[in-house]
Amino acid sequence: MLVSLSSSSLLTFFFIMLIASGLSGLLFLHPRVPLSFVRVHIGIVALPPLISLLALANTTVEGIIGPWSLDSLAWLMAFFVLSIGLIIQRFSVHYLMGDHSYRKYFILFTFTTGVASITWLSGDLRLMVISWGATLAGLILLIRLNSGWKVANEATKVSGRLFILSWFSLLLAMIWLFNVTGEWQFSLALTNESLAQLGAWEKTGINLLIVLAVIIPAAQWPFQRWLIESIVAPTPVSAIMHAGLVNAGGIMLTRFSPLFNGDIASIILLILASISVLIGSGISLVQVDYKRQLLGSTIGQMGFMLIQCALGAYLAAIIHLILHGLFKAMLFLQAGSAVRRYEVSTHVNERPSKLWVMGGRTLGLVVGVAFWLMSPGEGYQLISALILGWSLSVSWTQLVAFGKGRIGKIAGLSFLVGSAIVYFIIHNLFYEWLHTTVYQGVQPSMSVVIIFVCLLLFGSVIGTWVTRHRSTVSFAVLYLWLVRLGEAKPKSVESHPSYLKQYLSQGGSQ
């Protein structure tokens, strides 16, 4: 495949700026460099995402250059990861001021987002595995930066063990794929001719290893413990986890979508992700700690993203992971100012009119069926129709049916219409960028559809039961189980961090 000179030059310039960012972070580590240099560092860090944005806007800058695969998905993910990293580093200039590891944070932020962007630009299986391992190592180093605190050390042990398992699972999957196809390049290993060499058991085995590799960083059940323990890390570290780290499963499965398509591994992923959605939603509802609420929400949202992948809706998963990453990172960065206001609700016992509720459900059903029949793409249209119809029904109930009086219903309807317009604009923008790059999965098998619908109905039944049986013993047991599930282990909890005494005795932070 011939690649224009502009793409090669742009890639070279991108890596020069990425290296410059790393060097500026290393320079900032030196104690003689003034703290004011951090603003220069932020300026340099802003250059790589700017170059990736230029490459994304230039549709001709695509192709394969050595071990690099320069398509729109690769440049989009590089821009996404580096942009969130830039925002978090800029936020940390004041937020982390006075921390004894102030200088180390910036080099680790730069390193982690830098190697994460290299992971998604990789067109070689070996380079992707190495870069992803470096990304996980960077995250571990960020979690354990306050190594004098035993709680942080315990969280590091939990995260490290699971991340090693995830990485080795991915490594074995890639070696297995190479042994069968004889190719290390994505573009060659995932062609129909290469995949035809895989037997049914080989394909299932590789896919199961990939599933294990992606559900651990995504904090899916039963591996959600590392994310819950990581709450001891500073808030900017929690935010940077959403820069292509916890949501990396959607990107990875999209890259391997020609291989990961319609076998038993998809069903297993669908079941585990659905359980994670229920558990994550429950944790976010019962926890009173703001960061734990966000972590529970992340578990549920990542489960929903992996459900999209299991059903072949890879484009929807990419859109979801980017928007969720931006939104959740923002919520973490404002966690310090999140003060709950206790107010008496004026409509706790109010019930919306059944006519309005049925109208919303009917509208959701009609729109979902219409979208299923009219939208292009096979695997994509089914999940999109289900999500769109269900979301419209719930949104109508909350915004319109619960609206107080005619003005309240009109306001809710206006907000719903405005949100729908924004959704379609964003959807069309991403579709234009990615429809030629992202593989569209085949129509899910009937067994997968039945499992998904049953899980959806089960979740709805559980939600309805909870709202109507809050005074029962069963509800209390479920409530306490979710509280315990969202709490760290006792040895990971310390009411009075002893490591602070050491720094105070040394005269404060460095």
Side-chain angles (χ1 to χ4, degrees), residues 120-351:
W120 311 128
L121 287 170
S122 301
D124 187 282
L125 298 175
R126 295 164 296 185
L127 180 60
M128 186 204 68
V129 171
I130 294 172
S131 301
W132 180 239
T135 304
L136 294 177
L139 182 55
I140 292 173
L141 291 174
L142 281 169
I143 294 175
R144 76 172 298 272
L145 208 52
N146 289 328
S147 56
W149 191 12
K150 70 173 185 179
V151 174
N153 286 328
E154 186 62 33
T156 301
K157 292 178 184 178
V158 175
S159 302
R161 286 193 293 263
L162 290 177
F163 286 171
I164 289 174
L165 175 61
S166 172
W167 186 79
F168 270 106
S169 178
L170 181 63
L171 176 64
L172 291 176
M174 297 305 98
I175 293 175
W176 195 348
L177 182 60
F178 168 75
N179 285 336
V180 176
T181 64
E183 301 290 348
W184 286 114
Q185 289 283 342
F186 275 99
S187 57
L188 300 177
L190 299 179
T191 61
N192 292 332
E193 293 77 11
S194 296
L195 295 179
Q197 303 177 49
L198 291 171
W201 71 274
E202 291 175 318
K203 180 181 178 183
T204 300
I206 294 174
N207 282 339
L208 287 175
L209 287 172
I210 294 175
V211 167
L212 179 60
V214 301
I215 64 175
I216 291 177
Q220 298 297 279
W221 182 86
F223 304 106
Q224 77 282 355
R225 175 57 54 188
W226 78 264
L227 187 62
I228 295 173
E229 301 285 342
S230 71
I231 197 172
V232 301
T235 299
V237 176
S238 298
I240 208 169
M241 290 178 186
H242 294 77
L245 303 180
V246 297
N247 48 12
I251 317 169
M252 200 167 292
L253 290 177
T254 299
R255 280 301 190 197
F256 290 103
S257 52
L259 171 66
F260 187 82
N261 202 7
D263 65 355
I264 187 64
S266 299
I267 298 178
I268 292 176
L269 178 62
L270 179 64
I271 294 173
L272 293 178
S274 299
I275 294 174
S276 301
V277 169
L278 297 176
I279 290 176
S281 301
I283 291 175
S284 65
L285 289 174
V286 302
Q287 287 292 331
V288 295
D289 182 277
Y290 183 69
K291 286 184 68 174
R292 292 195 186 278
Q293 291 176 0
L294 294 181
L295 293 181
S297 173
T298 293
I299 294 172
Q301 289 291 333
M302 292 303 96
F304 185 65
M305 176 195 68
L306 293 179
I307 288 175
Q308 293 171 314
C309 293
L311 294 175
Y314 297 105
L315 181 56
I318 293 297
I319 296 174
H320 184 182
L321 75 89
I322 290 177
L323 296 181
H324 173 263
L326 291 170
F327 179 65
K328 192 57 67 69
M330 178 196 70
L331 291 181
F332 271 112
L333 294 183
Q334 70 174 15
S337 59
V339 179
R340 184 181 297 275
R341 295 178 60 190
Y342 293 93
E343 297 178 351
V344 178
S345 176
T346 58
H347 56 275
V348 172
N349 297 320
E350 292 184 6
R351 290 284 184 268

Side-chain angles (χ1 to χ4, degrees), residues 53-91:
L53 179 60
L54 293 175
L56 182 62
N58 185 359
T59 56
T60 62
V61 184
E62 293 191 4
I64 299 173
I65 303 178
W68 312 108
S69 179
L70 307 180
D71 54 25
S72 55
L73 176 60
W75 285 119
L76 176 62
M77 296 316 304
F79 172 70
F80 165 68
V81 170
L82 295 172
S83 296
I84 290 187
L86 171 64
I87 294 170
I88 293 172
Q89 290 200 53
R90 179 63 185 86
F91 175 85

